Amino acid sequence: MKILAFSDLHMARNRAAELVEASAKADLVIGAGDFCNHRQGLDQAMDMLSGMACPMVLVPGNAESADELRDAAPVTAEVLHGSACDIDGVRFFGLGYGIPVTPFGDWSCDMTEAQADEALSACDSADILVLHSPPKGVADQTSQGHSVGSTAIRDAIERVQPKLAVCGHIHDSWGQNGQIGATRIANLGPRPNWFDI
């Protein structure tokens, strides 16, 4: 399976066009959250991606809620948030939102570490974890050098050991990769990222 993955589109029209063009070579597209800005413009963001003909697996970022994304996503998309799906023999588990709680205010869709831990307890196996927030200590550093990833996500990766865990959220760490045990971690950003599973 040839997978195209991205995060943090934030309604960037030129990035969306690049992703739609790239998707012609993909078997599946993963979108790891933050399609819009401050809970505004999600329908327009989905319209920008409407040229993608292959199946999609999406998780909400902190810029859109799970319900908002389910309402706006194309019918070909699986929206995961504390849930799993199987596509062509590959098992996906997804969890969106900002974890831990961000300082961004009321518009941001966030979860506490305890809430995330509870949601991730439903994941007993996965080939790919689709996350918005990164795990603590990997691809999670701000420009000031602070590690702001999630301990609950790190614990779940250590427990489940998927082949791949993709995330976004921390813009300063876009493009960074790391490893937790057997699991490759990739902070995606809004450009085409390719994976073969």
Side-chain angles (χ1 to χ4, degrees):
M1 181 183 288
K2 191 171 183 64
I3 296 174
L4 169 66
F6 70 95
S7 70
D8 302 284
L9 180 65
H10 291 294
M11 298 185 69
R13 190 168 294 280
N14 59 334
R15 294 291 191 184
E18 181 183 15
L19 290 162
V20 168
E21 182 179 351
S23 73
K25 300 173 187 167
D27 299 313
L28 179 100
V29 172
I30 292 174
D34 277 5
F35 303 95
C36 63
N37 295 309
H38 301 91
R39 313 280 291 280
Q40 302 294 316
L42 185 55
D43 286 335
Q44 294 96 308
M46 290 294 111
D47 283 345
M48 289 179 201
L49 299 172
S50 63
M52 293 181 171
C54 56
M56 301 173 79
V57 174
L58 310 176
V59 299
N62 61 296
E64 60 271 328
S65 75
D67 287 341
E68 289 162 353
L69 185 57
R70 286 185 195 103
D71 289 344
V75 294
T76 56
E78 292 275 359
V79 176
L80 304 180
H81 185 57
S83 54
C85 70
D86 290 276
I87 298 174
D88 293 339
V90 178
R91 185 158 183 81
F92 298 85
F93 188 94
L95 185 67
Y97 291 8
I99 309 163
V101 174
T102 70
F104 303 141
D106 290 345
W107 64 265
S108 187
C109 295
D110 299 323
M111 297 177 84
T112 65
E113 292 285 9
Q115 289 169 326
D117 189 58
E118 183 177 348
L120 288 161
S121 70
C123 181
D124 53 7
S125 70
D127 297 302
I128 301 176
L129 281 180
V130 183
L131 310 158
H132 183 58
S133 296
K136 184 73 172 174
V138 181
D140 73 333
Q141 286 201 342
T142 67
S143 59
Q144 293 82 33
H146 300 297
S147 169
V148 294
S150 165
T151 56
I153 287 174
R154 186 179 182 103
D155 290 347
I157 291 169
E158 289 174 345
R159 174 175 56 82
V160 176
Q161 289 288 281
K163 294 176 183 137
L164 176 66
V166 296
C167 59
H169 188 46
I170 308 304
H171 296 197
D172 297 318
S173 289
W174 286 347
Q176 291 186 11
N177 291 271
Q179 199 82 16
I180 297 176
T183 303
R184 178 182 174 192
I185 315 297
N187 187 322
L188 301 169
R191 62 181 180 81
N193 296 266
W194 291 100
F195 304 95
D196 286 304
I197 299 293

